[in-house]
Amino acid sequence: MKNNVSIMLVDDHAVVRFGIRSLIEKNPGWFVCAEAETLASAYELAEKLKPDIVLLDIKLPDGDGAVGCREIKKIVPNVKIIILTAYSDDSIVAEAVKSGADGYLLKNIDSKGIITAIENVIKGASILDTAMVGSLFNIVKKTEQLEELTAQEKSILQLISMGKTNKEISKELFLADKTVRNIVSRILKKINVTNRTEAALYYIRQMSLK
């Protein structure tokens, strides 16, 4: 796992930031490079510091965290973003999914859960709070006219739904990393989703309908 991971906290509650900072700084090599209370400040700091990870509140004084996620990814394309939210209603969760964030956690998650989520996102996995899965099912719609996936694509989609990274998939299926990346891109296009989280939800949804 990468050492010296820089993490930016974006939340308008100082107590929340203090708590998360305390957790993060107990992990060797992890450090909080910046804190922001607003999206405007987050954009400025992201451009200046290029953090590896951003923990982003969904509701901020000057805008929506889902919008903020898109903008920060434009500023720092390789950044990993975990959205933290106290809300689990469908419309808010839908925007979070569409924003392309790498993780979605409810704020009542315990300290171990936050650390595990950060570790997995660093590895390249997508993280979903289990309490949000029910709401997310309501977002993922069954599409009848999707192009048929090949057996290999179905296997890879299943592994994505299990939280496997491209590197882990390549080892398990004895494929080159580049081959896996290309197949994952093809799968996303075929099932008409924009990111791995939506793909995982699509697979779980399809399995539940069988």
Side-chain angles (χ1 to χ4, degrees):
M1 186 179 294
K2 179 181 176 181
N3 294 321
N4 299 318
V5 176
S6 60
I7 301 172
M8 182 169 75
L9 309 180
V10 185
D11 195 296
D12 59 331
H13 293 95
V15 172
V16 173
R17 297 198 308 273
F18 176 80
I20 296 175
R21 174 190 279 272
S22 299
L23 287 174
I24 287 170
E25 293 183 342
K26 290 179 181 178
N27 289 267
W30 294 9
F31 65 98
V32 175
C33 64
E35 296 183 22
E37 297 184 1
T38 64
L39 288 177
S41 178
Y43 299 155
E44 182 178 344
L45 289 167
E47 187 167 15
K48 179 180 179 181
L49 300 173
K50 303 292 190 295
D52 298 306
I53 305 279
V54 174
L55 298 183
L56 177 64
D57 192 4
I58 197 72
K59 292 292 183 181
L60 292 160
D62 59 343
D64 187 281
V67 174
C69 178
R70 294 188 187 97
E71 292 303 313
I72 292 172
K73 288 227 173 218
K74 289 178 184 177
I75 296 168
V76 190
N78 294 325
V79 71
K80 302 290 187 180
I81 297 180
I82 299 174
I83 289 183
L84 293 172
T85 177
Y87 306 93
S88 60
D89 58 275
D90 292 353
S91 60
I92 293 174
V93 175
E95 286 305 309
V97 170
K98 293 175 184 177
S99 72
D102 302 278
Y104 310 87
L105 301 176
L106 292 175
K107 282 188 173 179
N108 61 5
I109 190 170
D110 60 26
S111 57
K112 183 179 179 181
I114 291 177
I115 296 303
T116 299
I118 295 173
E119 288 174 341
N120 288 332
V121 165
I122 291 170
K123 293 176 184 176
S126 297
I127 304 302
L128 286 173
D129 193 305
T130 54
M132 299 174 73
V133 171
S135 292
L136 290 166
F137 271 161
N138 294 329
I139 299 163
V140 181
K141 297 179 180 178
K142 184 179 179 182
T143 305
E144 300 292 349
Q145 297 180 338
L146 293 175
E147 185 176 349
E148 187 71 24
L149 296 180
T150 66
Q152 185 183 59
E153 289 167 346
K154 289 177 181 176
S155 295
I156 290 177
L157 180 57
Q158 180 181 18
L159 292 171
I160 290 172
S161 76
M162 296 166 62
K164 300 287 187 180
T165 65
N166 283 356
K167 183 173 288 187
E168 289 170 336
I169 293 171
S170 67
K171 287 182 179 178
E172 185 158 337
L173 299 182
F174 304 101
L175 296 170
D177 288 353
K178 183 177 180 181
T179 300
V180 173
R181 287 197 302 272
N182 291 338
I183 294 173
V184 169
S185 296
R186 191 163 66 238
I187 290 169
L188 298 184
K189 184 175 181 180
K190 283 187 175 184
I191 65 176
N192 195 29
V193 300
T194 58
N195 57 61
R196 297 172 76 92
T197 302
E198 288 182 283
L201 289 166
Y202 171 86
Y203 179 83
I204 296 168
R205 173 68 171 172
Q206 295 306 306
M207 293 302 99
S208 72
L209 292 173
K210 289 187 175 181

